[in-house]
Amino acid sequence: MKGTVQKLEKASETMRVVPHNAEAERQLLGAIMVNNETYYRVSEFLEARHFFLAPHKDIYDKCGALIKAGKIASPITLKTFFPADEKIADLSATQYLLRLAGDATSVINAEDYGKTIYDLATRRNLITIGEDMVNIAYDAPIDMPPSSQIDDAERRLFELAETGRSDGGFQDFGSALTETIEMAAAAFQREGALSGVSTGLRDLDKLMGGLQSSDLVVLAGRPAMGKTSLVTNIAYNIAENYQTEEMPDGSVRTVNGGVVGFFSLEMSAEQLATRIISEQTEISSSKIRRGDINEIEFEKLVAATQHMQHVPLHVDQTGGISIASLVSKARRLKRQKGLDMIVVDYIQLLTGSSKNQGNRVQEITEITTGLKALAKELNVPIIALSQLSRQVENRDDKRPQMSDLRESGSIEQDADVIMFVYREEYYMGKKEPPEGTPEYEEWSAKMEQLRGKAEVIIAKQRHGPTGIVDLQFQGEFTRFSDLADDAHIPDRIME
């Protein structure tokens, strides 16, 4: 008996009908045919694909086409678009349309009915994704590891959660103009009058207008130039200045700074934290690692650590992850905690899909294209670090150029901004002549001019000028900062 009951229960589960509400669909379609203005109450979010019954999808689609063409959508006008012998629920098309009009709900309730239909469609999509996950897990191809299935499921769930934005589509020019004015108004009201997220570095913000949403910013440099230090400083500045305000609809909007996701493929989270603590407390990282600190310095470390506990800087230290995995993690972070900027340290440590492995140029192309697509999808700036080729070292002028980027073709193409970190002090220090010679005096004077100074060269900026920004660099504390006013150099804009 028990076995029979279990079989019946199992059978009832397999016979379950997916969520839908045919009555709501009929009443909404009837309301649209009775009063065509009803269509505009729901068409902003409701599409034909959201209806469960195929005839209802077709009727909604035809109603929309007629109304958008400035014509009347009614049972009489619609029947001409159906074959004379077509049957819908054992009725002729004309009889069915007339019955829908008779079942019409009021215009007041139309939006609620539309949202019911939409929500049920979302639940059906969830069921489809869940069924696909189960089926693929049972019969996964040999070359599809579980991590790939997880990434794909997360992508589909994220797209479902973000429906209306991720599906894309055309935007009328009036909406684009409105967004532009809103961006300008926000920049006018924001401290520093920036249209983007402030880096915390005055002159860099001045040349770039801050970090712009959906931009891919590539920051490159030779080893020891300080590119990781610079991006760490920027990331912490943004996270520390995070401020929000509640909107009238109850949603929360970022008004300053932002939530930062930091993908540290080379350094551990602990090493990154040590750098930030060193920069904030002005205690060298080497002293912190050795424990070579006095009581006052220890108290400064404790105070800084307590403050940093609440800073929304999220670090992922997984090494050698794929671009697909990075995208999934970024989507998850945005969904769970919000996200206003992403840092990737660095491009060459990411991997592409299995189809491009073995061809590094194609793999880098896949990675940079993926990063740019992610920046647009999440509407956040991404700063991705990149290596430079050794050919820089063979030139007399060691200032980097775009052609020095490793596997540079796709990076140049996909990046909205390309910046280089350059410290002439580093190269001059390697040319020290024997002490006491005339050359040493000249070298010493030159070193004094260069000491503690760095250049950020903006070699490409899709929406603004290129140029050079001069910064202060304190290597002991891995800190980049603005030059003091008395040492300030005017902007060197190239175009």
Side-chain angles (χ1 to χ4, degrees):
M1 182 66 182
K2 186 178 179 182
T4 305
V5 171
Q6 287 177 337
K7 285 180 182 178
L8 286 171
E9 287 177 349
K10 200 165 186 180
S12 68
E13 286 178 7
T14 58
M15 292 168 61
R16 282 191 300 180
V17 179
V18 293
H20 71 284
N21 189 328
E23 188 65 28
E25 294 183 7
R26 283 195 294 269
Q27 293 204 17
L28 177 61
L29 290 172
I32 291 171
M33 285 188 280
V34 170
N35 184 343
N36 287 178
E37 287 299 316
T38 306
Y39 176 77
Y40 292 110
R41 287 177 172 264
V42 297
S43 60
E44 187 175 329
F45 63 88
L46 192 66
E47 300 176 21
R49 62 188 174 88
H50 294 132
F51 286 80
F52 177 70
L53 297 175
H56 292 174
K57 296 177 194 244
D58 194 24
I59 293 168
Y60 184 78
D61 205 29
K62 286 180 168 62
C63 283
L66 281 171
I67 293 167
K68 288 172 185 175
K71 299 176 182 178
I72 299 296
S74 70
I76 305 305
T77 57
L78 281 167
K79 73 174 186 178
T80 59
F81 297 97
F82 290 90
D85 58 347
E86 182 167 344
K87 295 284 186 181
I88 305 175
D90 295 328
L91 298 172
S92 69
T94 303
Q95 289 174 323
Y96 192 79
L97 291 169
L98 287 168
R99 178 169 287 188
L100 288 179
D103 290 342
T105 185
S106 69
V107 177
I108 297 171
N109 298 327
E111 193 170 347
D112 291 334
Y113 278 69
K115 286 180 178 176
T116 297
I117 295 166
Y118 178 90
D119 289 345
L120 290 168
T122 302
R123 288 170 60 188
R124 292 196 298 273
N125 283 330
L126 281 170
I127 290 169
T128 300
I129 294 170
E131 288 176 342
D132 288 347
M133 285 175 62
V134 172
N135 292 333
I136 294 171
Y138 270 115
D139 302 308
I142 295 173
D143 60 347
M144 185 180 190
S147 58
S148 297
Q149 187 188 348
I150 293 170
D151 292 342
D152 182 63
E154 285 189 335
R155 175 187 60 78
R156 294 176 65 185
L157 285 169
F158 184 83
E159 287 175 356
L160 186 59
E162 301 291 309
T163 298
R165 183 171 62 189
S166 60
D167 287 348
F170 286 106
Q171 179 184 23
D172 64 85
F173 191 58
S175 298
L177 289 173
T178 301
E179 288 181 8
T180 301
I181 293 299
E182 287 174 352
M183 179 186 72
F188 178 73
Q189 294 166 5
R190 187 181 289 127
E191 185 179 346
L194 301 175
S195 57
V197 181
S198 172
T199 63
L201 298 167
R202 175 194 59 212
D203 294 332
L204 191 59
D205 283 342
K206 185 178 177 183
L207 195 58
M208 296 177 63
L211 299 171
Q212 307 299 318
S213 297
S214 80
D215 270 7
L216 173 58
V217 180
V218 172
L219 175 61
R222 288 292 295 157
M225 289 295 104
K227 56 184 182 293
T228 299
S229 298
L230 177 58
V231 80
T232 303
N233 291 175
I234 291 172
Y236 185 78
N237 288 341
I238 291 171
E240 187 183 32
N241 289 299
Y242 179 54
Q243 293 178 350
T244 60
E245 69 175 7
E246 188 171 339
M247 305 298 288
D249 62 359
S251 62
V252 176
R253 181 173 72 99
T254 301
V255 293
N256 198 24
V259 179
V260 179
F262 198 119
F263 290 91
S264 181
L265 285 76
E266 188 173 39
M267 289 193 303
S268 69
E270 183 246 337
Q271 289 173 320
L272 199 63
T274 302
R275 279 179 175 244
I276 294 172
I277 292 173
S278 173
E279 186 246 329
Q280 290 296 304
T281 59
E282 296 190 350
I283 302 170
S284 73
S285 55
S286 60
K287 288 181 68 175
I288 294 172
R289 281 193 296 269
R290 293 195 312 266
D292 182 20
I293 54 177
N294 57 39
E295 189 174 339
I296 294 174
E297 290 172 329
F298 181 75
E299 288 175 359
K300 285 177 70 177
L301 286 176
V302 171
T305 303
Q306 289 174 341
H307 171 69
M308 290 166 62
Q309 293 285 343
H310 307 289
V311 171
L313 176 59
H314 306 283
V315 181
D316 185 295
Q317 60 181 355
T318 311
I321 61 171
S322 67
I323 180 64
S325 180
L326 183 147
V327 168
S328 292
K329 290 181 177 186
R331 287 172 177 150
R332 192 184 312 148
L333 180 60
K334 174 141 190 173
R335 188 168 63 248
Q336 294 175 347
K337 300 185 178 180
L339 186 61
D340 298 290
M341 191 191 82
I342 296 172
V343 175
V344 180
D345 184 11
Y346 53 90
I347 289 174
Q348 283 78 13
L349 288 177
L350 285 169
T351 59
S353 60
S354 55
K355 66 178 182 180
N356 287 324
Q357 285 178 5
N359 186 327
R360 192 55 181 161
V361 173
Q362 287 185 8
E363 203 172 358
I364 291 293
T365 299
E366 179 189 356
I367 289 165
T368 57
T369 302
L371 289 174
K372 176 56 187 173
L374 180 65
K376 287 185 68 178
E377 177 187 328
L378 302 185
N379 196 34
V380 300
I382 295 180
I383 302 182
L385 274 60
S386 177
Q387 291 179 329
L388 292 178
S389 64
R390 289 189 179 89
Q391 66 188 30
V392 175
E393 310 298 331
N394 299 326
R395 297 196 302 262
D396 290 336
D397 184 355
K398 306 257 190 289
R399 281 183 177 82
Q401 305 164 4
M402 284 200 284
S403 58
D404 297 324
L405 287 162
R406 291 271 295 272
E407 298 97 9
S408 64
S410 64
I411 297 176
E412 285 185 44
Q413 179 178 315
D414 293 323
D416 297 285
V417 178
I418 295 177
M419 304 190 300
F420 300 110
V421 186
Y422 174 69
R423 293 194 302 113
E424 192 173 350
E425 176 190 7
Y426 172 79
Y427 290 107
M428 184 61 68
K430 296 166 74 173
K431 298 177 181 177
E432 182 177 356
E435 196 169 342
T437 63
E439 291 82 3
Y440 181 83
E441 296 297 325
E442 185 180 345
W443 173 87
S444 182
K446 181 70 172 174
M447 276 295 289
E448 194 58 37
Q449 290 179 346
L450 298 173
R451 199 174 308 283
K453 290 187 174 65
E455 295 178 6
V456 174
I457 303 165
I458 300 178
K460 174 186 177 181
Q461 187 172 197
R462 207 184 296 276
H463 313 298
T466 57
I468 299 174
V469 174
D470 294 281
L471 296 173
Q472 187 79 35
F473 178 65
Q474 295 168 279
E476 186 181 9
F477 311 132
T478 63
R479 176 198 280 174
F480 282 86
S481 56
D482 294 312
L483 286 172
D485 290 336
D486 58 352
H488 186 261
I489 301 171
D491 295 334
R492 290 179 274 171
I493 297 175
M494 297 178 183
E495 62 179 41

